[in-house]
Amino acid sequence: MQHQLNGGEKPPSERVIDQHREMFGGEYRLSTDGPHPVPELQETRSR
């Protein structure tokens, strides 16, 4: 169903998040409770 809705591309919400990361060089979410539990999603640069 998602493939049919998005035509094989990322959903719009994921594209916006990717654009934000490209523009500002980091995660768009505020993390105050420590690193993200998924290693691939952890912020690698210091603020």
Side-chain angles (χ1 to χ4, degrees), residues 6-47:
N6 298 314
E9 296 182 13
K10 287 184 174 182
S13 57
E14 288 296 323
R15 293 193 305 254
V16 168
I17 291 168
D18 289 343
Q19 288 173 349
H20 184 279
R21 287 179 182 137
E22 288 176 20
M23 290 176 67
F24 299 104
E27 186 57 58
Y28 76 101
R29 294 173 281 222
L30 176 61
S31 298
T32 58
D33 293 334
H36 195 285
V38 178
E40 295 84 28
L41 300 177
Q42 291 178 1
E43 187 79 12
T44 57
R45 65 181 182 92
S46 61
R47 293 188 183 252

